[in-house]
Structures are given as structure tokens and as C-alpha cells.
């Protein structure tokens, strides 16, 4: 409940942070929805990462003479 009261979260996030089953999370969300206590919205698209890593990559040190 703490997660839900502070921000919008996804079902998978709720399941992961609470440690309960998918069924239990869905039951809770259905209960809250039936009581009109749940505000839902479309998930925002993931933000692009600033770091792009390609494979294979090389990590090394260059020597300065």
C-alpha cells in the first residue's frame, strides 16, 4: 500500500517490491478499483539511456610515455 500511495507503479514493480504473487497483486488492484480507490494511467515509455554499450567492447588502459 505504501508504494501505491506515493507514486504510480506498474503491476510487475508492485509484485517485485512486495514479494507477493501476481494473483495477490491483481486481487488487490481489483479490490481497490471496485472501491474507486485506484487511479490508473498508461505507462510512460522508457527514457533512453545516456550510455550506449556495443558488444564486443574493450576496457583497457593506455600507456602514456
Amino acid at each position: 500500500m505504501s508504494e501505491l500511495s506515493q507514486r504510480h507503479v506498474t503491476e510487475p514493480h508492485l509484485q517485485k517490491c512486495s514479494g507477493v504473487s501476481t494473483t495477490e497483486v491483481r486481487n488487490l488492484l481489483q479490490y481497490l478499483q471496485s472501491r474507486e480507490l485506484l487511479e490508473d494511467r498508461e505507462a510512460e515509455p522508457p527514457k533512453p539511456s545516456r550510455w550506449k554499450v556495443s558488444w564486443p567492447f574493450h576496457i583497457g588502459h593506455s600507456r602514456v610515455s
Side-chain angles (χ1 to χ4, degrees):
M1 292 300 293
S2 177
E3 286 286 321
L4 288 172
S5 68
Q6 295 178 29
R7 64 189 143 276
H8 288 94
V9 294
T10 63
E11 274 185 51
H13 174 79
L14 256 174
Q15 183 182 353
K16 182 178 177 182
C17 72
S18 67
V20 298
S21 71
T22 301
T23 303
E24 291 172 311
V25 169
R26 288 189 179 153
N27 288 341
L28 172 63
L29 296 177
Q30 287 174 353
Y31 172 79
L32 294 172
Q33 185 71 37
S34 72
R35 302 288 192 265
E36 297 181 1
L37 298 171
L38 187 66
E39 180 182 311
D40 59 350
R41 68 177 186 176
E42 292 295 318
E44 295 179 11
K47 294 180 182 178
S49 174
R50 289 180 42 208
W51 302 97
K52 295 194 181 208
V53 178
S54 60
W55 188 259
F57 62 92
H58 175 75
I59 299 174
H61 300 282
S62 60
R63 292 185 176 202
V64 179
S65 304

